[in-house]
Coordinates of all heavy atoms in Angstrom, one line a residue:
M14 N -73.7 58.1 -58.4 CA -74.1 58.2 -59.9 C -75.1 57.1 -60.2 O -75.0 56.0 -59.8 CB -72.9 58.0 -60.7 CG -72.2 59.3 -61.1 SD -71.5 59.3 -62.7 CE -70.0 58.4 -62.4
G15 N -76.2 57.5 -60.9 CA -77.2 56.5 -61.3 C -76.7 55.5 -62.4 O -75.7 55.8 -63.0
K16 N -77.5 54.5 -62.5 CA -77.2 53.5 -63.6 C -77.1 54.1 -65.0 O -76.3 53.7 -65.8 CB -78.3 52.4 -63.5 CG -77.9 51.0 -63.6 CD -79.1 50.1 -63.6 CE -78.7 48.7 -64.0 NZ -78.3 47.8 -62.9
Q17 N -78.0 55.1 -65.2 CA -78.0 55.8 -66.5 C -76.7 56.3 -66.9 O -76.4 56.3 -68.1 CB -79.0 57.0 -66.3 CG -79.7 57.4 -67.6 CD -80.4 56.3 -68.3 OE1 -81.0 55.4 -67.6 NE2 -80.4 56.3 -69.6
N18 N -75.9 56.7 -66.0 CA -74.5 57.3 -66.4 C -73.6 56.2 -66.9 O -72.5 56.5 -67.4 CB -73.9 57.9 -65.2 CG -74.7 59.2 -64.7 OD1 -75.0 60.0 -65.6 ND2 -75.0 59.2 -63.5
Y19 N -73.9 54.9 -66.7 CA -73.0 53.9 -67.2 C -73.5 53.2 -68.4 O -73.0 52.1 -68.8 CB -72.9 52.8 -66.0 CG -72.2 53.3 -64.8 CD1 -72.9 53.9 -63.8 CD2 -70.8 53.1 -64.7 CE1 -72.2 54.4 -62.7 CE2 -70.1 53.6 -63.6 CZ -70.9 54.2 -62.6 OH -70.2 54.7 -61.5
M20 N -74.5 53.8 -69.1 CA -75.1 53.2 -70.3 C -74.2 53.4 -71.5 O -73.7 54.5 -71.7 CB -76.5 53.7 -70.6 CG -77.5 53.4 -69.5 SD -77.8 51.6 -69.3 CE -78.7 51.2 -70.7
I21 N -74.1 52.4 -72.4 CA -73.5 52.6 -73.7 C -74.1 51.5 -74.6 O -74.2 50.4 -74.3 CB -71.9 52.5 -73.6 CG1 -71.3 52.7 -75.0 CG2 -71.4 51.2 -73.0 CD1 -69.8 52.9 -75.0
N22 N -74.6 52.0 -75.8 CA -75.2 51.1 -76.7 C -76.3 50.2 -76.1 O -76.4 49.0 -76.3 CB -74.2 50.1 -77.3 CG -73.7 50.6 -78.7 OD1 -74.0 51.7 -79.1 ND2 -72.9 49.8 -79.3
D23 N -77.1 50.8 -75.2 CA -78.2 50.1 -74.5 C -77.7 49.1 -73.5 O -78.5 48.3 -73.0 CB -79.2 49.4 -75.5 CG -80.0 50.4 -76.2 OD1 -80.2 51.5 -75.6 OD2 -80.5 50.1 -77.3
F24 N -76.4 49.0 -73.3 CA -75.9 48.1 -72.3 C -75.5 49.0 -71.1 O -75.0 50.1 -71.2 CB -74.7 47.3 -72.8 CG -74.9 46.4 -73.9 CD1 -74.3 46.7 -75.1 CD2 -75.8 45.4 -73.8 CE1 -74.6 45.8 -76.2 CE2 -76.1 44.5 -74.9 CZ -75.5 44.8 -76.1
S25 N -75.6 48.4 -69.9 CA -75.2 49.1 -68.7 C -73.8 48.4 -68.3 O -73.7 47.2 -68.2 CB -76.2 49.0 -67.6 OG -75.6 49.5 -66.4
L26 N -72.8 49.3 -68.0 CA -71.6 48.8 -67.5 C -71.5 49.0 -66.0 O -70.5 49.0 -65.4 CB -70.4 49.5 -68.2 CG -70.3 49.3 -69.7 CD1 -69.0 49.8 -70.2 CD2 -70.5 47.9 -70.1
D27 N -72.7 49.2 -65.5 CA -72.8 49.5 -64.0 C -72.3 48.5 -63.1 O -71.8 48.7 -62.0 CB -74.4 49.7 -63.8 CG -74.7 50.0 -62.4 OD1 -74.2 51.0 -61.8 OD2 -75.5 49.2 -61.8
H28 N -72.3 47.2 -63.6 CA -71.9 46.1 -62.7 C -70.3 45.9 -62.7 O -69.8 45.1 -62.0 CB -72.5 44.8 -63.2 CG -72.1 44.4 -64.6 ND1 -72.7 45.0 -65.7 CD2 -71.1 43.6 -65.0 CE1 -72.1 44.5 -66.7 NE2 -71.2 43.6 -66.4
V29 N -69.6 46.7 -63.6 CA -68.2 46.6 -63.7 C -67.6 47.5 -62.6 O -67.7 48.7 -62.6 CB -67.6 47.0 -65.0 CG1 -66.1 46.9 -65.0 CG2 -68.2 46.2 -66.1
R30 N -67.2 46.8 -61.5 CA -66.8 47.6 -60.3 C -65.3 47.4 -60.0 O -64.8 46.4 -60.3 CB -67.6 47.1 -59.1 CG -69.1 47.5 -59.2 CD -69.2 48.9 -59.0 NE -70.6 49.3 -59.2 CZ -71.0 50.6 -59.1 NH1 -70.2 51.5 -58.7 NH2 -72.3 50.9 -59.3
N31 N -64.8 48.4 -59.3 CA -63.5 48.3 -58.8 C -63.6 47.3 -57.6 O -64.4 47.6 -56.7 CB -63.0 49.6 -58.3 CG -61.6 49.6 -57.8 OD1 -61.1 48.7 -57.3 ND2 -60.9 50.7 -58.0
R32 N -62.9 46.2 -57.6 CA -63.1 45.2 -56.6 C -62.7 45.7 -55.2 O -63.2 45.1 -54.2 CB -62.3 43.9 -56.9 CG -60.8 44.1 -56.7 CD -60.0 42.8 -57.0 NE -60.0 41.8 -56.0 CZ -59.1 41.8 -54.9 NH1 -58.2 42.7 -54.8 NH2 -59.2 40.8 -54.1
H33 N -62.0 46.7 -55.1 CA -61.5 47.2 -53.8 C -62.6 48.0 -53.1 O -62.6 48.1 -51.9 CB -60.3 48.1 -54.0 CG -59.1 47.4 -54.5 ND1 -58.3 48.0 -55.4 CD2 -58.7 46.2 -54.4 CE1 -57.4 47.2 -55.8 NE2 -57.6 46.0 -55.2
E34 N -63.7 48.4 -53.8 CA -64.7 49.2 -53.2 C -65.3 48.5 -51.9 O -65.3 49.0 -50.8 CB -65.9 49.5 -54.1 CG -65.5 50.5 -55.2 CD -66.6 50.7 -56.2 OE1 -67.7 50.1 -56.1 OE2 -66.4 51.4 -57.2
V35 N -65.7 47.2 -52.2 CA -66.4 46.5 -51.1 C -65.4 46.0 -50.0 O -65.7 46.1 -48.8 CB -67.2 45.3 -51.7 CG1 -67.8 44.4 -50.6 CG2 -68.3 45.8 -52.6
I36 N -64.2 45.7 -50.5 CA -63.2 45.2 -49.5 C -62.8 46.3 -48.6 O -62.7 46.2 -47.4 CB -61.9 44.6 -50.2 CG1 -62.3 43.5 -51.2 CG2 -60.9 44.2 -49.2 CD1 -61.2 43.0 -52.0
V37 N -62.6 47.5 -49.1 CA -62.2 48.7 -48.3 C -63.4 49.0 -47.3 O -63.1 49.2 -46.1 CB -61.9 49.9 -49.2 CG1 -62.0 51.2 -48.4 CG2 -60.5 49.8 -49.9
L38 N -64.6 49.0 -47.8 CA -65.7 49.2 -46.9 C -65.8 48.2 -45.8 O -66.1 48.6 -44.6 CB -67.0 49.2 -47.7 CG -67.4 50.6 -48.3 CD1 -68.6 50.5 -49.3 CD2 -67.8 51.5 -47.2
N39 N -65.6 47.0 -46.1 CA -65.6 45.9 -45.1 C -64.5 46.2 -44.0 O -64.8 46.0 -42.8 CB -65.4 44.5 -45.7 CG -66.7 44.1 -46.3 OD1 -67.8 44.5 -46.0 ND2 -66.6 43.1 -47.3
F40 N -63.3 46.5 -44.5 CA -62.2 46.8 -43.5 C -62.6 48.0 -42.7 O -62.2 48.1 -41.5 CB -60.9 46.9 -44.2 CG -60.2 45.6 -44.5 CD1 -59.8 45.3 -45.8 CD2 -60.0 44.7 -43.5 CE1 -59.2 44.0 -46.0 CE2 -59.4 43.5 -43.7 CZ -59.0 43.1 -45.0
M41 N -63.2 49.0 -43.3 CA -63.5 50.3 -42.6 C -64.5 49.9 -41.5 O -64.4 50.4 -40.3 CB -64.1 51.3 -43.5 CG -63.1 52.1 -44.3 SD -63.8 53.2 -45.5 CE -64.6 54.4 -44.4
R42 N -65.6 49.1 -41.8 CA -66.5 48.7 -40.8 C -65.9 47.9 -39.6 O -66.2 48.1 -38.5 CB -67.6 47.8 -41.4 CG -68.6 48.5 -42.2 CD -69.8 47.6 -42.6 NE -70.5 48.1 -43.8 CZ -70.3 47.6 -45.0 NH1 -69.5 46.6 -45.2 NH2 -70.9 48.1 -46.0
E43 N -64.9 47.1 -40.0 CA -64.2 46.2 -39.0 C -63.4 47.1 -38.1 O -63.3 46.9 -36.9 CB -63.4 45.2 -39.8 CG -62.7 44.1 -39.0 CD -61.8 43.3 -39.8 OE1 -62.3 42.7 -40.8 OE2 -60.6 43.2 -39.5
K44 N -62.7 48.1 -38.7 CA -61.7 48.8 -37.9 C -62.3 50.0 -37.2 O -61.7 50.5 -36.2 CB -60.5 49.3 -38.8 CG -59.8 48.1 -39.3 CD -58.6 48.4 -40.1 CE -57.9 47.2 -40.7 NZ -57.5 46.3 -39.6
L45 N -63.4 50.5 -37.6 CA -64.0 51.7 -37.1 C -64.2 51.7 -35.5 O -63.8 52.7 -34.9 CB -65.4 52.0 -37.8 CG -66.1 53.3 -37.4 CD1 -65.2 54.5 -37.7 CD2 -67.4 53.4 -38.2
P46 N -64.7 50.6 -35.0 CA -64.9 50.6 -33.5 C -63.6 50.8 -32.7 O -63.6 51.3 -31.6 CB -65.5 49.2 -33.2 CG -66.1 48.8 -34.5 CD -65.2 49.4 -35.6
G47 N -62.5 50.3 -33.3 CA -61.2 50.5 -32.6 C -60.5 51.8 -32.9 O -59.4 52.0 -32.3
E48 N -61.0 52.6 -33.8 CA -60.4 53.9 -34.1 C -60.8 54.9 -33.1 O -61.7 55.7 -33.3 CB -60.8 54.3 -35.5 CG -60.2 53.5 -36.6 CD -58.7 53.6 -36.8 OE1 -58.1 54.6 -36.3 OE2 -58.1 52.7 -37.3
T49 N -60.0 55.0 -32.0 CA -60.2 56.0 -31.0 C -59.8 57.4 -31.6 O -58.9 57.4 -32.4 CB -59.5 55.8 -29.7 OG1 -58.1 55.4 -30.0 CG2 -60.1 54.6 -28.9
D50 N -60.4 58.5 -31.1 CA -60.1 59.8 -31.6 C -60.5 60.0 -33.1 O -60.1 61.0 -33.7 CB -58.6 60.2 -31.5 CG -58.1 60.0 -30.1 OD1 -58.8 60.2 -29.2 OD2 -56.9 59.6 -29.9
F51 N -61.2 59.1 -33.6 CA -61.7 59.3 -35.0 C -63.1 60.0 -34.9 O -63.9 59.5 -34.2 CB -61.8 58.0 -35.8 CG -62.3 58.2 -37.2 CD1 -61.5 58.9 -38.1 CD2 -63.5 57.7 -37.6 CE1 -62.0 59.0 -39.4 CE2 -64.0 57.9 -38.9 CZ -63.2 58.5 -39.8
C52 N -63.2 61.1 -35.7 CA -64.5 61.9 -35.7 C -65.7 61.0 -36.0 O -66.7 61.0 -35.3 CB -64.3 63.1 -36.6 SG -65.8 63.9 -37.1
G53 N -65.6 60.3 -37.1 CA -66.8 59.4 -37.5 C -67.9 60.1 -38.2 O -68.9 59.4 -38.5
C54 N -67.8 61.4 -38.6 CA -68.8 62.0 -39.3 C -68.8 61.6 -40.8 O -67.8 61.0 -41.2 CB -68.8 63.6 -39.2 SG -67.5 64.3 -40.3
N55 N -69.8 61.9 -41.5 CA -70.0 61.5 -42.9 C -68.8 62.0 -43.7 O -68.2 61.2 -44.5 CB -71.3 62.2 -43.4 CG -71.6 61.8 -44.8 OD1 -71.3 62.6 -45.7 ND2 -72.1 60.6 -45.0
L56 N -68.3 63.2 -43.5 CA -67.2 63.8 -44.3 C -65.9 63.0 -44.0 O -65.2 62.7 -44.9 CB -67.0 65.3 -43.9 CG -66.2 66.1 -44.8 CD1 -66.9 66.2 -46.2 CD2 -66.1 67.5 -44.2
C57 N -65.7 62.7 -42.8 CA -64.4 62.0 -42.4 C -64.5 60.6 -42.9 O -63.4 60.0 -43.4 CB -64.2 62.0 -40.9 SG -63.7 63.6 -40.3
L58 N -65.6 59.9 -42.9 CA -65.7 58.6 -43.4 C -65.5 58.6 -44.9 O -64.8 57.7 -45.5 CB -67.1 58.0 -43.1 CG -67.3 57.5 -41.6 CD1 -68.7 57.1 -41.4 CD2 -66.4 56.3 -41.4
E59 N -66.1 59.6 -45.6 CA -65.9 59.7 -47.1 C -64.4 59.9 -47.4 O -63.9 59.4 -48.3 CB -66.6 60.9 -47.6 CG -68.1 60.7 -48.0 CD -68.8 61.9 -48.5 OE1 -68.1 62.8 -49.1 OE2 -70.0 62.0 -48.4
D60 N -63.7 60.7 -46.5 CA -62.3 61.0 -46.7 C -61.5 59.7 -46.6 O -60.6 59.4 -47.4 CB -61.8 62.0 -45.7 CG -62.1 63.5 -46.2 OD1 -62.5 63.6 -47.3 OD2 -62.0 64.4 -45.4
V61 N -61.8 58.9 -45.5 CA -61.0 57.7 -45.3 C -61.2 56.8 -46.6 O -60.2 56.2 -47.1 CB -61.5 56.9 -44.1 CG1 -60.9 55.5 -44.0 CG2 -61.1 57.8 -42.8
Y62 N -62.4 56.7 -47.0 CA -62.7 55.8 -48.2 C -62.0 56.3 -49.4 O -61.3 55.5 -50.1 CB -64.3 55.8 -48.4 CG -64.7 55.0 -49.6 CD1 -64.7 53.6 -49.4 CD2 -65.2 55.5 -50.7 CE1 -65.1 52.8 -50.5 CE2 -65.7 54.7 -51.8 CZ -65.6 53.4 -51.6 OH -66.0 52.6 -52.7
A63 N -62.1 57.6 -49.7 CA -61.4 58.2 -50.8 C -59.9 58.1 -50.8 O -59.2 57.7 -51.8 CB -61.8 59.7 -51.0
V64 N -59.3 58.3 -49.6 CA -57.8 58.2 -49.4 C -57.4 56.8 -49.7 O -56.5 56.5 -50.4 CB -57.4 58.7 -48.0 CG1 -55.9 58.3 -47.8 CG2 -57.5 60.2 -47.9
A65 N -58.1 55.8 -49.1 CA -57.8 54.4 -49.3 C -57.9 54.0 -50.8 O -57.0 53.4 -51.4 CB -58.7 53.5 -48.4
M66 N -59.0 54.4 -51.4 CA -59.3 54.0 -52.8 C -58.3 54.6 -53.7 O -57.8 54.0 -54.7 CB -60.7 54.4 -53.2 CG -61.8 53.6 -52.6 SD -61.7 51.8 -52.9 CE -62.0 51.8 -54.6
N67 N -57.8 55.9 -53.4 CA -56.8 56.5 -54.3 C -55.4 56.0 -54.1 O -54.6 56.1 -54.9 CB -56.8 58.0 -54.0 CG -58.0 58.7 -54.7 OD1 -58.5 58.3 -55.7 ND2 -58.4 59.8 -54.1
T68 N -55.2 55.4 -52.9 CA -53.9 54.8 -52.7 C -53.7 53.4 -53.4 O -52.7 53.1 -53.9 CB -53.7 54.6 -51.1 OG1 -53.9 55.8 -50.5 CG2 -52.3 54.0 -50.8
L69 N -54.8 52.7 -53.4 CA -54.8 51.3 -54.1 C -54.8 51.5 -55.6 O -55.5 52.3 -56.1 CB -55.9 50.5 -53.6 CG -56.0 50.2 -52.1 CD1 -57.4 49.7 -51.7 CD2 -55.0 49.1 -51.8
P70 N -54.0 50.6 -56.3 CA -54.2 50.6 -57.7 C -55.6 50.2 -58.1 O -56.2 49.3 -57.5 CB -53.1 49.6 -58.2 CG -52.9 48.7 -57.0 CD -53.1 49.5 -55.8
A71 N -56.1 50.8 -59.1 CA -57.5 50.5 -59.5 C -57.5 49.0 -60.0 O -56.6 48.6 -60.7 CB -58.0 51.4 -60.6
H72 N -58.6 48.3 -59.7 CA -58.7 46.9 -60.2 C -60.1 46.6 -60.5 O -60.9 46.2 -59.6 CB -58.1 46.0 -59.1 CG -58.0 44.5 -59.6 ND1 -56.8 44.0 -59.9 CD2 -59.0 43.6 -59.7 CE1 -57.1 42.7 -60.3 NE2 -58.4 42.5 -60.2
Y73 N -60.5 46.9 -61.7 CA -61.9 46.7 -62.1 C -62.1 45.3 -62.6 O -61.2 44.6 -63.2 CB -62.2 47.7 -63.3 CG -62.5 49.0 -62.7 CD1 -61.5 49.9 -62.5 CD2 -63.8 49.4 -62.3 CE1 -61.7 51.1 -61.9 CE2 -64.0 50.6 -61.8 CZ -63.0 51.5 -61.6 OH -63.2 52.7 -61.0
V74 N -63.3 44.8 -62.2 CA -63.6 43.4 -62.5 C -64.8 43.3 -63.4 O -65.9 43.9 -63.0 CB -63.8 42.6 -61.2 CG1 -64.2 41.1 -61.5 CG2 -62.6 42.7 -60.3
Q75 N -64.8 42.7 -64.5 CA -65.9 42.5 -65.4 C -66.4 41.0 -65.3 O -65.8 40.2 -64.6 CB -65.6 43.0 -66.8 CG -64.7 42.0 -67.6 CD -63.2 42.2 -67.3 OE1 -62.8 42.4 -66.1 NE2 -62.4 42.2 -68.3
R76 N -67.4 40.7 -66.2 CA -68.0 39.4 -66.1 C -66.9 38.3 -66.3 O -66.9 37.3 -65.6 CB -69.0 39.2 -67.2 CG -70.4 39.3 -66.6 CD -71.4 39.1 -67.8 NE -72.0 40.4 -68.1 CZ -73.1 40.9 -67.6 NH1 -73.8 40.2 -66.7 NH2 -73.6 42.0 -68.0
S77 N -66.2 38.4 -67.4 CA -65.1 37.3 -67.6 C -63.8 38.0 -67.7 O -63.6 38.8 -68.6 CB -65.4 36.6 -68.9 OG -65.5 37.4 -69.9
S78 N -63.0 37.8 -66.7 CA -61.7 38.5 -66.7 C -60.7 37.8 -67.7 O -60.4 36.7 -67.6 CB -61.2 38.3 -65.2 OG -60.3 39.4 -65.0
I79 N -60.3 38.6 -68.6 CA -59.4 38.1 -69.6 C -58.0 38.7 -69.7 O -57.0 38.1 -70.0 CB -60.0 38.1 -71.1 CG1 -60.7 39.5 -71.3 CG2 -61.0 37.0 -71.3 CD1 -61.1 39.8 -72.7
I80 N -58.0 40.0 -69.4 CA -56.7 40.7 -69.6 C -56.1 41.2 -68.4 O -55.1 41.9 -68.4 CB -56.9 41.9 -70.6 CG1 -58.1 42.8 -70.2 CG2 -57.1 41.4 -72.0 CD1 -58.1 44.1 -70.9
L81 N -56.7 40.9 -67.2 CA -56.2 41.4 -66.0 C -55.1 40.4 -65.4 O -55.4 39.5 -64.8 CB -57.3 41.6 -64.9 CG -58.4 42.5 -65.4 CD1 -59.5 42.5 -64.3 CD2 -57.8 43.9 -65.5
K82 N -53.9 40.7 -65.8 CA -52.8 39.7 -65.4 C -52.2 40.1 -64.1 O -51.5 39.3 -63.4 CB -51.8 39.6 -66.5 CG -52.4 38.9 -67.7 CD -51.3 38.7 -68.8 CE -51.9 38.0 -70.0 NZ -51.4 38.7 -71.2
K83 N -52.3 41.4 -63.8 CA -51.5 41.9 -62.6 C -52.2 41.4 -61.3 O -53.4 41.4 -61.2 CB -51.5 43.4 -62.6 CG -50.1 44.0 -62.5 CD -50.1 45.5 -62.6 CE -50.6 46.2 -61.4 NZ -50.7 47.6 -61.5
E84 N -51.3 40.9 -60.4 CA -51.8 40.5 -59.1 C -52.4 41.7 -58.3 O -51.8 42.7 -58.2 CB -50.7 39.9 -58.3 CG -50.4 38.4 -58.6 CD -51.6 37.5 -58.1 OE1 -51.9 37.5 -56.9 OE2 -52.2 36.9 -59.0
P85 N -53.7 41.5 -57.8 CA -54.2 42.6 -57.0 C -53.5 42.6 -55.7 O -52.9 41.6 -55.3 CB -55.7 42.2 -56.9 CG -55.7 40.8 -57.1 CD -54.6 40.4 -58.0
P86 N -53.6 43.7 -54.9 CA -53.0 43.8 -53.6 C -53.7 42.7 -52.7 O -54.9 42.4 -52.9 CB -53.3 45.2 -53.1 CG -54.0 45.9 -54.2 CD -54.2 45.0 -55.3
S87 N -53.0 42.2 -51.7 CA -53.6 41.2 -50.8 C -54.5 41.9 -49.8 O -54.5 43.1 -49.7 CB -52.5 40.5 -50.0 OG -51.9 41.4 -49.2
D88 N -55.4 41.1 -49.2 CA -56.2 41.7 -48.1 C -55.4 42.4 -47.0 O -55.9 43.4 -46.5 CB -57.1 40.6 -47.5 CG -58.3 40.3 -48.4 OD1 -58.4 40.8 -49.5 OD2 -59.1 39.4 -48.0
A89 N -54.3 41.8 -46.7 CA -53.4 42.4 -45.7 C -53.0 43.8 -46.1 O -52.9 44.8 -45.4 CB -52.2 41.5 -45.4
D90 N -52.6 43.9 -47.4 CA -52.2 45.2 -48.0 C -53.3 46.2 -47.9 O -53.1 47.4 -47.5 CB -51.8 45.1 -49.5 CG -50.5 44.3 -49.7 OD1 -49.7 44.3 -48.7 OD2 -50.3 43.8 -50.8
I91 N -54.5 45.8 -48.2 CA -55.7 46.6 -48.2 C -56.0 47.1 -46.8 O -56.3 48.2 -46.5 CB -56.9 46.0 -48.9 CG1 -56.6 45.7 -50.4 CG2 -58.2 46.9 -48.8 CD1 -57.7 44.9 -51.1
A92 N -55.9 46.1 -45.9 CA -56.2 46.4 -44.4 C -55.2 47.5 -44.0 O -55.6 48.5 -43.3 CB -56.1 45.2 -43.6
R93 N -54.0 47.4 -44.3 CA -53.0 48.4 -43.9 C -53.3 49.8 -44.6 O -53.2 50.8 -43.9 CB -51.6 47.9 -44.3 CG -50.5 48.5 -43.4 CD -49.1 47.8 -43.7 NE -49.2 46.4 -43.7 CZ -49.0 45.6 -44.8 NH1 -48.6 46.2 -46.0 NH2 -49.1 44.3 -44.8
T94 N -53.7 49.7 -45.8 CA -54.0 51.0 -46.5 C -55.2 51.7 -45.8 O -55.2 52.9 -45.7 CB -54.4 50.7 -48.0 OG1 -53.3 50.0 -48.6 CG2 -54.7 51.9 -48.7
V95 N -56.2 50.9 -45.4 CA -57.3 51.5 -44.7 C -56.9 52.1 -43.3 O -57.3 53.2 -43.0 CB -58.4 50.4 -44.5 CG1 -59.5 50.9 -43.5 CG2 -59.1 50.0 -45.8
E96 N -56.0 51.4 -42.6 CA -55.5 51.9 -41.3 C -54.8 53.2 -41.5 O -55.0 54.2 -40.8 CB -54.5 50.9 -40.7 CG -55.3 49.8 -39.9 CD -54.4 48.6 -39.6 OE1 -53.1 48.8 -39.6 OE2 -54.9 47.5 -39.3
D97 N -53.9 53.3 -42.6 CA -53.2 54.5 -42.9 C -54.1 55.6 -43.2 O -53.9 56.8 -42.8 CB -52.2 54.3 -44.1 CG -51.1 53.4 -43.7 OD1 -50.9 53.1 -42.5 OD2 -50.4 52.9 -44.6
A98 N -55.2 55.3 -43.9 CA -56.2 56.3 -44.3 C -56.9 56.9 -43.1 O -57.1 58.1 -43.0 CB -57.2 55.7 -45.3
F99 N -57.2 56.0 -42.1 CA -57.8 56.5 -40.9 C -56.8 57.4 -40.2 O -57.2 58.5 -39.7 CB -58.1 55.3 -39.9 CG -59.5 54.7 -40.1 CD1 -59.7 53.4 -40.5 CD2 -60.6 55.5 -39.8 CE1 -61.0 52.9 -40.7 CE2 -61.9 54.9 -39.9 CZ -62.1 53.6 -40.3
D100 N -55.6 57.1 -40.1 CA -54.6 57.9 -39.5 C -54.5 59.3 -40.1 O -54.4 60.3 -39.5 CB -53.2 57.2 -39.5 CG -53.2 56.0 -38.5 OD1 -54.0 55.9 -37.6 OD2 -52.3 55.1 -38.6
K101 N -54.4 59.3 -41.5 CA -54.3 60.5 -42.2 C -55.4 61.5 -41.9 O -55.3 62.6 -41.7 CB -54.2 60.3 -43.7 CG -52.8 60.0 -44.2 CD -52.8 59.8 -45.7 CE -51.5 59.1 -46.1 NZ -51.6 58.3 -47.4
V102 N -56.7 60.9 -41.9 CA -57.9 61.7 -41.7 C -58.0 62.2 -40.3 O -58.4 63.3 -40.0 CB -59.1 61.0 -42.2 CG1 -60.4 61.8 -41.9 CG2 -59.0 60.7 -43.7
K103 N -57.5 61.3 -39.4 CA -57.5 61.7 -37.9 C -56.6 62.9 -37.7 O -56.9 63.9 -37.0 CB -57.0 60.6 -37.1 CG -58.1 59.7 -36.6 CD -57.7 58.8 -35.4 CE -57.1 57.5 -35.9 NZ -56.9 56.5 -34.8
V104 N -55.4 62.9 -38.3 CA -54.4 64.0 -38.1 C -54.9 65.3 -38.8 O -54.7 66.4 -38.3 CB -53.0 63.6 -38.7 CG1 -52.1 64.7 -38.6 CG2 -52.5 62.4 -37.9
R105 N -55.5 65.1 -40.0 CA -55.9 66.3 -40.8 C -57.3 66.1 -41.3 O -57.5 65.9 -42.5 CB -55.0 66.4 -42.0 CG -53.6 66.8 -41.7 CD -52.7 66.7 -42.9 NE -51.8 67.9 -43.0 CZ -51.9 68.8 -43.9 NH1 -52.7 68.8 -44.9 NH2 -51.0 69.8 -43.9
P106 N -58.3 66.3 -40.4 CA -59.7 66.2 -40.9 C -60.0 67.4 -41.7 O -59.4 68.5 -41.5 CB -60.5 66.2 -39.6 CG -59.6 66.8 -38.5 CD -58.2 66.5 -38.9
N107 N -60.9 67.3 -42.7 CA -61.2 68.4 -43.6 C -62.3 69.4 -43.0 O -63.0 70.0 -43.8 CB -61.8 67.8 -44.9 CG -60.6 67.6 -45.9 OD1 -59.7 68.5 -46.0 ND2 -60.7 66.6 -46.7
H108 N -62.3 69.5 -41.7 CA -63.2 70.4 -41.1 C -62.6 70.7 -39.7 O -61.8 70.0 -39.2 CB -64.6 69.9 -41.0 CG -64.7 68.6 -40.2 ND1 -64.5 68.5 -38.9 CD2 -64.9 67.3 -40.7 CE1 -64.6 67.2 -38.5 NE2 -64.8 66.5 -39.5
S109 N -63.1 71.8 -39.0 CA -62.6 72.1 -37.7 C -63.3 71.3 -36.6 O -64.4 70.8 -36.9 CB -62.6 73.6 -37.5 OG -63.9 74.0 -37.9
Ligands
ZN22 ZN1 -65.5 64.5 -39.2

């Protein structure tokens, strides 16, 4: 989605991101070489990312965090979630 889709009152909320996006991607890059039997195509990578992101509670971060009191999942929790996502997609890829 382009920046345009995040506009409101001439302000862009484009920079307000779910903090897990980058963390999940980093763990995916780290674990990918060790994932034997993983297809690795664009569709399967998208699936792993989507499964992991949907498993984690959303945690959006804005410029000054004021009302986010809940503890986010730890890096170890996120790493485990990414591993589980790889396993799920390996067992049931969305293509033949
Ligand atoms: Zn694939």
